[in-house]
Amino acid sequence: MTLKTTPLNAAHRAMGAKMVDFGGWDMPVNYGSQIEEHHQVRNDCGMFDVCHMRVVDAKGEGVRAFLRYLLANNADKITVPGKALYSAMLRPNGGVIDDLIIYFMTESWFRIVVNAGTADKDIAWMKEQAAVHAPNLTITSRDDLAMVAIQGPNARAKVWEVLPQTQAVTEGLVNFQAADCGEYFVARTGYTGEDGFEVMLPKEKVEAFWYALNKVGVKPIGLGARDTLRLEAGMNLYGQDMDETVGPLESGLAWTVDLKSERDFIGKAALLAKPPTQKLIGLVLLDRGVLRGHQKVVTPQGDGEITSGSFSPTLEKSIALARVPNGVQIGDTVQVAIRDKMLAAQVVKYPFARNGKSCL
């Protein structure tokens, strides 16, 4: 199988990246030290190739009403142009098709960003639902656009060095808000628990943008550090912390599901009919070892499983997200099966770290 490549593939190789197969994409896992890359983002700033993510534009009359029905979170919450909303898109049985971000631009234009591995499935589902519920809408995969995430306490200042024409429009953005700056669509969003921008731009301009950022001191960051950063920030990864076999309420996403309003949405009836018996919690390992996905978690209330686990460079401890029975409480000590040993871990409230420091 030939791996898919982003427009930055040659740049990664020129910068000495170690490349790996990431869901069918040829992507950089690191450019040297994963730990150093992690600290670089927490303490200064770094840039990530997220061109494999898919930008989708939903346009036409009634697009808000369609998204109100399509998504578990309520599109009516975003009324300021550029404001973003995080949501899950569900199957009728309540399983998570994908987690995504929508941006309200105008009453006839919402921009959606979906995960790389689920993009084709997501777009097919959106079009299938639109054909029934909003036949006049156009749902367009913006394959002409690339995306770079610049994250860390100094990230925004570095972007303004490279794109000074965007500063006036973007310096007033609050978290989870974007601005359409012509060729550049700049969003104050990210996947690291740090401040920064995600910049969408024409594919043919992304390599020059990448090198320009590097020239002003922004270092490239691979998937390895991206994973430890998002885990410390308590952010779910599709395919690990949730998928079509589990619902959002047992995946730590209750805050993204609007069950209070009267509106119906795909999956609502299933969520109401079957309250969750499990929940997502944070774990910090008390013994020596490393928490990893799929390790068994043993509790007095029954067994659970780690969904994402790793060593936390910020905390210098092993941390994890785990799905466990509802009765497990913050502060409890549980046992994790690591190889042939049972090791103690404490249940904590995540996020573990954000904005450069521990949250515990």
Side-chain angles (χ1 to χ4, degrees):
M1 187 183 77
T2 306
L3 294 179
K4 290 179 273 193
T5 59
T6 76
L8 292 171
N9 192 271
H12 298 315
R13 293 177 181 280
M15 289 176 165
K18 179 185 176 186
M19 306 296 285
V20 295
D21 177 350
F22 178 73
W25 289 84
D26 189 38
M27 296 294 285
V29 68
N30 60 58
Y31 300 81
S33 166
Q34 179 179 322
I35 301 263
E36 283 176 18
E37 289 175 23
H38 180 106
H39 290 311
Q40 175 70 24
V41 174
R42 285 273 180 258
N43 300 319
D44 183 2
C45 70
M47 58 185 178
F48 301 80
D49 177 3
V50 285
C51 298
H52 58 313
M53 308 269 294
R54 194 80 64 86
V55 180
V56 182
D57 282 338
K59 292 189 172 182
E61 192 177 339
V63 62
R64 182 187 290 277
F66 172 65
L67 292 173
R68 194 186 296 136
Y69 174 68
L70 182 75
L71 303 176
N73 213 341
N74 193 346
D76 287 344
K77 290 178 181 177
I78 47 176
T79 55
V80 176
K83 196 69 183 119
L85 183 74
Y86 175 66
S87 182
M89 184 165 64
L90 309 180
R91 292 281 183 205
N93 68 359
V96 181
I97 297 174
D98 197 12
D99 63 322
L100 46 79
I101 293 177
I102 63 169
Y103 298 91
F104 163 62
M105 302 312 295
T106 71
E107 285 301 333
S108 59
W109 173 30
F110 280 72
R111 174 158 282 183
I112 308 165
V113 178
V114 300
N115 282 307
T118 53
D120 292 339
K121 174 184 77 169
D122 291 355
I123 293 165
W125 177 255
M126 290 174 193
K127 288 182 173 179
E128 184 185 325
Q129 297 306 315
V132 176
H133 301 282
N136 295 323
L137 288 191
T138 59
I139 293 171
T140 308
S141 176
R142 294 298 305 271
D143 300 344
D144 56 316
L145 295 180
M147 187 156 70
V148 175
I150 307 92
Q151 300 280 290
N154 298 321
R156 294 195 306 146
K158 293 294 186 183
V159 171
W160 293 328
E161 271 191 68
V162 174
L163 302 176
Q165 72 273 28
T166 67
Q167 182 168 353
V169 187
T170 60
E171 63 185 342
L173 294 178
V174 297
N175 280 336
F176 253 64
Q177 188 180 11
D180 188 10
C181 309
E183 278 194 313
Y184 300 92
F185 185 95
V186 182
R188 198 172 177 185
T189 50
Y191 194 50
T192 62
E194 298 300 323
D195 199 1
F197 286 141
E198 292 181 306
V199 180
M200 301 167 209
L201 69 163
K203 263 186 178 168
E204 61 272 14
K205 298 207 165 186
V206 70
E207 189 176 67
F209 180 53
W210 183 264
Y211 279 118
L213 286 167
N214 190 234
K215 196 172 179 180
V216 299
V218 184
K219 293 185 178 175
I221 311 295
L223 291 170
R226 184 170 181 252
D227 195 52
T228 53
L229 288 159
R230 72 92 193 165
L231 178 56
E232 286 185 348
M235 294 177 173
N236 288 36
L237 176 61
Y238 189 84
Q240 282 187 210
D241 304 302
M242 73 268 182
D243 55 33
E244 292 199 17
T245 68
V246 292
L249 303 181
E250 53 202 352
S251 303
L253 297 177
W255 63 280
T256 73
V257 179
D258 170 35
L259 291 170
K260 291 178 182 167
S261 64
E262 293 294 304
R263 77 184 173 108
D264 190 22
F265 62 84
I266 299 169
K268 182 178 184 179
L271 296 185
L272 292 173
K274 193 182 172 191
T277 58
Q278 293 183 304
K279 62 183 180 183
L280 207 65
I281 50 112
L283 290 178
V284 174
L285 189 63
L286 300 175
D287 294 324
R288 288 177 66 87
V290 179
L291 300 175
R292 299 281 183 211
H294 304 299
Q295 289 169 342
K296 187 164 82 168
V297 180
V298 179
T299 84
Q301 290 80 16
D303 293 346
E305 184 180 61
I306 288 177
T307 56
S308 288
S310 188
F311 175 77
S312 160
T314 304
L315 303 183
E316 296 186 331
K317 293 175 182 174
S318 193
I319 62 171
L321 298 175
R323 188 171 288 109
V324 297
N326 277 345
V328 176
Q329 299 299 320
I330 289 168
D332 288 356
T333 299
V334 298
Q335 301 293 313
V336 181
I338 301 180
R339 295 195 180 91
D340 54 352
K341 295 179 182 173
M342 299 301 292
L343 301 183
Q346 185 172 31
V347 179
V348 299
K349 183 180 180 183
Y350 61 88
F352 304 91
R354 276 189 179 182
N355 298 318
K357 53 186 184 291
S358 169
C359 297
L360 301 182

